């Protein structure tokens, strides 16, 4: 081989039951299982070119050349792929996304899921969904959940072998939508990799982990039975628990902005009015409203009256990571 290339597309995902804290940081083995759905309409497209002429890896994200830690993280994942394929070529990675990066919209999940499929395919590997999910996990834990389609559960496992995500229901199973309310589009101060490493410093993390199987059971059953009320309650509790751990870590992680809090306060009231909506937040100030599709316009209208909102993105449940034909 002198040159070989592949392009993959992946969606970010929103966790309904969250992952926070690792039992093994290098392998990104999580302390607890998690459940998410992929965000259709939002995507990262990544092209990987391996060439025997290259003398280093390179990375371009949204037309900007990336060096330092971003490139290092990509090279580390490429090293795993090179090792699996038994080939030592360097790669050019070109990635574009159609949503804000680094602001609580799980950009690294889509990025590493797409990179895993494109890089492994370009080097001639044909990995199973499980093995692709395991590979994506090495780049960003939540990326393992962007590999399978629809509603997804990450089985935490205890080793590299048994920590991967599976689809628990197809995207067509239930018409939920993520209405993503952007209150701050800039890069967050402390990313999730650093945040996971602090989780154990919170006295609340142990209790959060111990209770995770119960929350996972409630969340999974609520999805399978399309029980919005049960889902809403556990999703909000789970998000609040994770943020309680963040806020009580040392140093403290406080991601909320005033606009975040005003939305968090009003959403349960909207639910009492009969609107099927609940909130969840990742490691950032932006707030994800999980809404039944038939109520999206009403929720958007109600959001119009609230201050501090910069942008609203709407994402239905999406498919898994897939290859697309190379157009260059
Ligand atoms: O995959 P990471 O390392 O970016 O961690 C993601 C952590 C949260 O988004 C806050 C929660 C989750 O389960 O997605």
């Amino acid at each position: 081989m002198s040159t070989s290339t592949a392009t993959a597309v992946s969606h970010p995902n929103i966790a309904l039951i969250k992952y926070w804290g690792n039992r093994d940081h290098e392998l990104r083995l999580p302390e607890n299982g998690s459940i998410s759905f992929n965000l259709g309409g939002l995507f990262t497209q990544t092209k990987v070119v391996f060439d025997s002429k290259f003398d280093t890896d390179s990375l371009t994200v949204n037309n900007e050349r990336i060096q330092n830690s971003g490139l290092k993280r990509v090279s580390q994942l490429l090293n795993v792929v090179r090792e699996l394929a038994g080939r030592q070529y360097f790669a050019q990675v070109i990635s574009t996304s159609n949503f804000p990066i680094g602001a609580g919209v799980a950009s690294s999940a889509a990025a590493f899921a797409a990179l895993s499929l494109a890089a492994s395919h370009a080097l001639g590997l044909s990995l199973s969904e499980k093995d692709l999910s395991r590979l994506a996990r090495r780049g960003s834990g939540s990326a393992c959940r962007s590999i399978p389609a629809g509603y997804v559960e990450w089985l935490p496992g205890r080793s590299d072998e048994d920590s991967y995500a599976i689809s628990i229901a197809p995207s067509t199973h239930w018409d939920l939508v993520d209405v993503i309310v952007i209150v701050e589009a800039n890069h967050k101060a402390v990313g999730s990799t650093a945040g996971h490493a602090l989780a154990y410093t919170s006295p609340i993390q142990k209790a959060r982990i111990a209770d995770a199987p119960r929350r996972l059971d409630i969340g999974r059953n609520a999805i399978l039975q399309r029980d919005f009320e049960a889902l809403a309650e556990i999703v909000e509790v789970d998000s609040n628990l994770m943020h309680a751990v963040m806020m009580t870590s040392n140093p403290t992680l406080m991601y909320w902005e005033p606009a975040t809090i005003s939305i968090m306060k009003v959403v349960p009231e909207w639910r009492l009015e009969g609107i099927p909506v609940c909130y969840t937040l990742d490691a950032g100030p932006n707030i994800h409203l999980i809404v039944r599709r038939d109520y999206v316009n009403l929720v958007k209208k109600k959001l119009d009256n609230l201050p501090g909102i910069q942008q609203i993105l709407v994402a239905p449940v999406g498919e898994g990571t897939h290859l697309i034909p190379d157009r260059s």
Side-chain angles (χ1 to χ4, degrees), residues 15 18-20 108 140-142 145 192 196 242 282-283:
K18 307 290 189 187
Y19 147 57
W20 196 246
S108 64
S140 174
S142 58
R145 295 190 312 239
S192 43
H196 290 298
M242 180 181 75
D282 281 346

Side-chain angles (χ1 to χ4, degrees), residues 216-233:
L216 286 162
D217 284 348
I218 295 173
R220 189 189 314 108
N221 288 336
I223 290 169
L224 296 179
Q225 291 161 15
R226 302 187 190 91
D227 180 344
F228 195 90
E229 193 51 38
L231 184 69
E233 276 176 30

Side-chain angles (χ1 to χ4, degrees), residues 24-90:
D24 181 317
H25 290 297
E26 206 197 309
L27 289 172
R28 296 183 194 267
L29 300 177
E31 290 271 19
N32 64 283
S34 50
I35 292 177
S36 59
F37 66 77
N38 291 337
L39 300 179
L42 309 186
F43 63 84
T44 295
Q45 178 174 320
T46 300
K47 176 177 177 174
V48 179
V49 183
F50 286 97
D51 196 309
S52 46
K53 291 199 307 280
F54 297 156
D55 52 10
T56 181
D57 293 326
S58 67
L59 172 64
T60 306
V61 176
N62 292 341
N63 294 321
E64 194 188 321
R65 195 65 185 264
I66 307 291
Q67 307 279 358
N68 305 329
S69 60
L71 174 61
K72 193 169 157 213
R73 210 163 147 191
V74 163
S75 283
Q76 279 167 349
L77 192 87
L78 291 171
N79 287 342
V80 179
V81 180
R82 284 186 274 252
E83 176 95 32
L84 280 172
R87 296 183 161 199
Q88 291 310 319
Y89 302 108
F90 288 108

